[in-house]
Amino acid sequence: MDNCLEINSLNKIFNNVEAVKNISFRIKKNEIIGLLGPNGCGKTTTMGMILGLLKPTSGTIFINNKEIEKNKIEILKKINFISPYIELPKKLTVQQNLNIYGKLYGIKNIKKKIEYLCEKLRLNEIIYKITGELSSGQKNRVSLAKAVINDPILLLLDEPTASLDPETGDYVRSFLENYQKEKANSILLASHNMNEVERLCSSIFLMKAGSIIDSGKPKELISKHGRKNLEEVFLKLTRKNEFD
Amino acid sequence: MNLIRMYGLFLRHFYLIKGSLPRVLDLIYWPSIQIILWGFISKFFTNYSDYYNNTIGVILTCAILYDFLFRSSISFNMLFLEEIWSRNFTNLFIAPLTTKEIITSLIFTALIRTLIGLVPAIILTSPLFGVSILKLGIPLLFLFLSLYIFGITLGIMVSSGLLRYGPSFENIAWSSLFLLAPLGCIYYPIDILPNFFQILAKVLPLVYIFDEARNILINGSVNYSNIFYAYFLNIIYLCLSIILFYVSFSKAREKGTLINMGE
C-alpha cells in the first residue's frame, strides 16, 4: 500500500490510433522513476492522463491510493508538473506568478513559501522581474518553483532540463536530488538525457510505440543488454525491429 | 467553491491589467471611440430626422448598452485567450480548480475588465452630447444585468469552442457578437427585419432588452414583460452554455486539446 502512483492496464486511443497500449506500473513513495522512449512513444500522453488532462480510454490511475478520475481536485492539490512546452504568464513578475499559484494550490503562508523557494532556487535577484524577460535557465528555475510550491507528493517532470546549458542543467538535477531527499516525495521523470536518468532514477520504464518494452534499474538494464551505458540500451531497444 | 482559488485566478488577470498602462488605455480607448462615433451619428439624426423625439439619447444609450454587451463577452473570451497566448493553459488546468470555480472567477473578472473600459466612455457622453444613461433609472440595472448575463453566456459558448478546438477557434471569438448584432435590433424596432429574421430575433433576449431601453426613453414608462422575457431567455441560454462548457471540457480531455494548448 506504499505506492504513490499505481497505473493499471492504461490505454489511450486517439482517432483509432493507440497512443498508449495497456501499460501498468507503480511508483513507490520516496523514489524517482524514469520514463524513457523516443518522441511520440506515449510518455507525454501517459503524463497527461496522470494529471487528469486526458481521459484514459480504459484503465485506472491511483495516486496515494485514490483514483484520479473520481478524486481529481483532491489529487491535483498534491501533485505538480513541469514541462518546457508550458510556461507561466510572461507579462507578470516572478513574485506575482508564484503568488497566484500559491493561492491556486491553497498554500497557507504564501509569503514564507516564496521566500523559501527563492532561497532554494536562487530566485532572489529575479523575483520582481517580468517572467517573459528572463533567460531560459531563469525561467526554468521559476517553473520549478511553481512545480514544488505545493510540496507535491508526486512531481511529474517532462524533459525538465531540455534546452538548458550544462551548468544550469546540472543545477536543476542537483536541486531535484536534494529536494526529493528533503521532502521524501516521488518523481516521474520523462527525459531524453540518459546521463540525467542514470544519475537520478532508481528504476526506469522504457516505452516504444505506446507500450512498455522493458523496465528495471539502470545498471541492471545495462548489464542485461550487454551495453556500456543507458544510451546504448535505449538505442538497442528502440531501434529493434526498425532496422532489422 | 473555494474563494481563495477563485481570487488567485482573478489576480492572474488583475496583475496583467495593473502592470500595463497600454493595456488599460486599450480597454478604455475602443468603447470611448465607439461612443463618440455614435454620439456624432446620433447628433446628425437629431438634426435631420424627426422619427424620435430624443434621437441622440436613444441611439447613444443603445450604443452604450450594446458596447457593454460586446465588452462583457469579449472580456470573458480574452481571459481564456490570454491563457492560450501565454501557454499557461496547461498550468491552469492541472491546478486544483473546479470548472465551477473557473467559470465564476472569470465571470467576475470579466465584469471588472468591462467596467474599466466602459465607465470612462459613459462619463464622456454627458459633457460631449448632454446624454446621461442614468435617465433610464432603476430599470437600467435590470437591463445591464440582463446584457451582462447574455454577454457572459456568449463568452462561455465561445470559450467552450476554444477548449474543444483550440486556438483555431479564435476568429469565432471575435466575430460571434457581430453575427448576432443585426438580429438583436439594437438601434431599430424588430418590425424592420424580414419575417424569417423576426422569428430568429424573438428567441434572443437582446430584442426585448433594447426594445425596453427605447420604450423607457421614448414613452417614459417601463414594460416589465420585456424585462421578464429577456431574463427568461437569458437563464435558458446561460444553462445551455454551462452544459456546453462541461461537454467541451470532457471532449477536450478525450481528444487531448488541453495538452500543449498554445500558439
Side-chain angles (χ1 to χ4, degrees):
Chain A
M1 291 295 280
D2 60 349
N3 287 330
C4 180
L5 171 71
E6 185 183 333
I7 289 180
N8 302 309
S9 311
L10 195 66
N11 285 282
K12 182 66 193 173
I13 301 172
F14 293 113
N15 301 323
N16 299 323
V17 176
E18 285 183 284
V20 172
K21 294 177 200 167
N22 199 33
I23 66 166
S24 298
F25 66 90
R26 281 154 188 70
I27 300 180
K28 286 183 184 156
K29 287 178 182 169
N30 196 15
E31 69 175 358
I32 305 181
I33 298 295
L35 197 57
L36 303 187
N39 293 328
C41 72
K43 301 187 296 289
T44 305
T45 303
T46 303
M47 285 194 165
M49 288 190 277
I50 296 170
L51 289 160
L53 287 170
L54 281 171
K55 196 173 180 178
T57 306
S58 63
T60 53
I61 299 167
F62 288 88
I63 294 169
N64 225 17
N65 301 318
K66 290 193 172 160
E67 196 178 353
I68 178 86
E69 286 296 311
K70 291 175 185 159
N71 306 277
K72 202 173 156 203
I73 299 300
E74 194 187 335
I75 289 171
L76 287 179
K77 282 181 195 168
K78 295 176 185 167
I79 66 176
N80 218 320
F81 176 58
I82 181 172
S83 162
Y85 309 110
I86 58 172
E87 293 179 17
L88 291 167
K90 298 176 191 70
K91 307 279 181 193
L92 306 188
T93 66
V94 173
Q95 197 258 353
Q96 287 171 336
N97 270 322
L98 294 179
N99 190 33
I100 289 165
Y101 278 95
K103 286 198 163 45
L104 293 183
Y105 280 93
I107 307 305
K108 294 243 162 68
N109 192 340
I110 297 175
K111 202 180 161 198
K112 205 172 165 189
K113 188 78 191 186
I114 293 175
E115 279 170 11
Y116 166 83
L117 291 171
C118 283
E119 193 65 36
K120 284 275 173 189
L121 283 156
R122 303 192 310 209
L123 300 177
N124 281 314
E125 284 176 17
I126 56 167
I127 191 75
Y128 297 113
K129 287 196 173 171
I130 301 292
T131 309
E133 292 171 5
L134 302 176
S135 68
S136 304
Q138 290 169 329
K139 275 185 197 165
N140 187 282
R141 293 200 320 260
V142 176
S143 293
L144 258 179
K146 176 258 154 189
V148 297
I149 200 161
N150 58 331
D151 289 330
I153 57 164
L154 175 65
L155 182 57
L156 302 158
L157 307 168
D158 190 6
E159 298 178 44
T161 56
S163 78
L164 295 181
D165 65 68
E167 195 277 327
T168 314
D170 186 63
Y171 175 83
V172 169
R173 283 186 279 275
S174 298
F175 169 80
L176 289 170
E177 265 178 331
N178 296 330
Y179 181 81
Q180 195 272 335
K181 277 177 196 155
E182 188 186 324
K183 302 286 179 185
N185 63 354
S186 307
I187 295 177
L188 179 61
L189 167 72
S191 177
H192 290 141
N193 184 328
M194 298 301 138
N195 292 331
E196 179 172 283
V197 173
E198 272 192 76
R199 175 176 158 181
L200 295 175
C201 301
S202 54
S203 294
I204 59 170
F205 293 93
L206 225 151
M207 287 184 78
K208 187 183 172 187
S211 302
I212 292 177
I213 51 169
D214 209 345
S215 63
K217 292 184 164 75
K219 280 183 185 165
E220 285 174 2
L221 282 173
I222 293 166
S223 143
K224 178 180 161 186
H225 291 281
R227 302 285 149 156
K228 286 181 202 155
N229 52 45
L230 203 54
E231 187 161 343
E232 288 187 6
V233 174
F234 179 91
L235 290 172
K236 181 195 169 194
L237 291 174
T238 54
R239 281 181 179 167
K240 200 175 172 183
N241 302 328
E242 216 164 275
F243 300 105
D244 289 350
Chain B
M1 286 202 285
N2 184 304
L3 283 176
I4 295 172
R5 292 201 292 256
M6 289 193 287
Y7 178 59
L9 190 53
F10 163 77
L11 272 185
R12 184 260 183 270
H13 297 282
F14 175 73
Y15 285 149
L16 196 64
I17 295 168
K18 194 186 85 168
S20 169
L21 182 63
R23 218 173 261 268
V24 176
L25 292 176
D26 186 57
L27 283 178
I28 296 170
Y29 177 78
W30 291 111
S32 301
I33 288 294
Q34 175 89 337
I35 279 155
I36 289 169
L37 177 68
W38 277 104
F40 287 125
I41 292 170
S42 306
K43 207 170 179 178
F44 169 76
F45 285 147
T46 307
N47 294 335
Y48 293 95
S49 160
D50 56 1
Y51 179 76
Y52 291 129
N53 294 326
N54 179 20
T55 316
I56 191 161
V58 172
I59 292 184
L60 202 49
T61 300
C62 290
I64 291 169
L65 291 175
Y66 175 63
D67 212 66
F68 180 74
L69 168 75
F70 184 79
R71 301 288 146 202
S72 314
S73 181
I74 287 293
S75 288
F76 195 95
N77 297 337
M78 279 298 291
L79 301 175
F80 240 77
L81 285 167
E82 290 278 7
E83 304 300 358
I84 294 173
W85 294 332
S86 64
R87 297 173 71 198
N88 184 45
F89 210 81
T90 306
N91 275 326
L92 196 65
F93 279 93
I94 59 164
L97 275 164
T98 63
T99 310
K100 261 187 288 184
E101 287 165 355
I102 293 174
I103 292 175
T104 311
S105 178
L106 295 188
I107 285 174
F108 179 72
T109 312
L111 178 65
I112 304 285
R113 210 173 176 279
T114 305
L115 291 178
I116 291 173
L118 211 64
V119 168
I122 291 171
I123 293 169
L124 268 180
T125 57
S126 191
L128 282 179
F129 306 106
V131 169
S132 170
I133 193 168
L134 300 175
K135 269 187 187 170
L136 286 168
I138 299 291
L140 176 68
L141 284 177
F142 293 119
L143 298 178
F144 262 135
L145 183 61
S146 193
L147 285 169
Y148 186 65
I149 296 171
F150 194 62
I152 289 300
T153 299
L154 291 174
I156 295 173
M157 284 179 176
V158 172
S159 299
S160 307
L162 287 169
L163 260 181
R164 172 67 185 78
Y165 299 103
S168 57
F169 205 75
E170 189 179 326
N171 284 341
I172 306 288
W174 298 113
S175 58
S176 59
L177 260 171
F178 292 107
L179 188 72
L180 290 177
L183 294 175
C185 300
I186 298 154
Y187 304 108
Y188 41 80
I190 192 168
D191 314 340
I192 297 292
L193 296 177
N195 284 342
F196 174 70
F197 285 116
Q198 282 190 32
I199 296 166
L200 292 178
K202 278 178 185 168
V203 295
L204 291 176
L206 296 183
V207 171
Y208 305 98
I209 297 168
F210 288 101
D211 193 41
E212 192 46 36
R214 283 189 298 270
N215 176 50
I216 295 169
L217 289 170
I218 295 165
N219 302 320
S221 61
V222 184
N223 178 359
Y224 282 100
S225 66
N226 268 340
I227 293 176
F228 172 79
Y229 278 128
Y231 275 91
F232 176 71
L233 289 171
N234 265 329
I235 287 166
I236 292 173
Y237 288 122
L238 182 64
C239 292
L240 288 175
S241 73
I242 291 171
I243 292 168
L244 182 67
F245 191 91
Y246 274 90
V247 170
S248 297
F249 183 70
S250 176
K251 284 279 171 201
R253 285 189 66 223
E254 272 174 34
K255 300 277 177 188
T257 332
L258 297 175
I259 287 191
N260 297 329
M261 171 87 85
E263 285 201 314

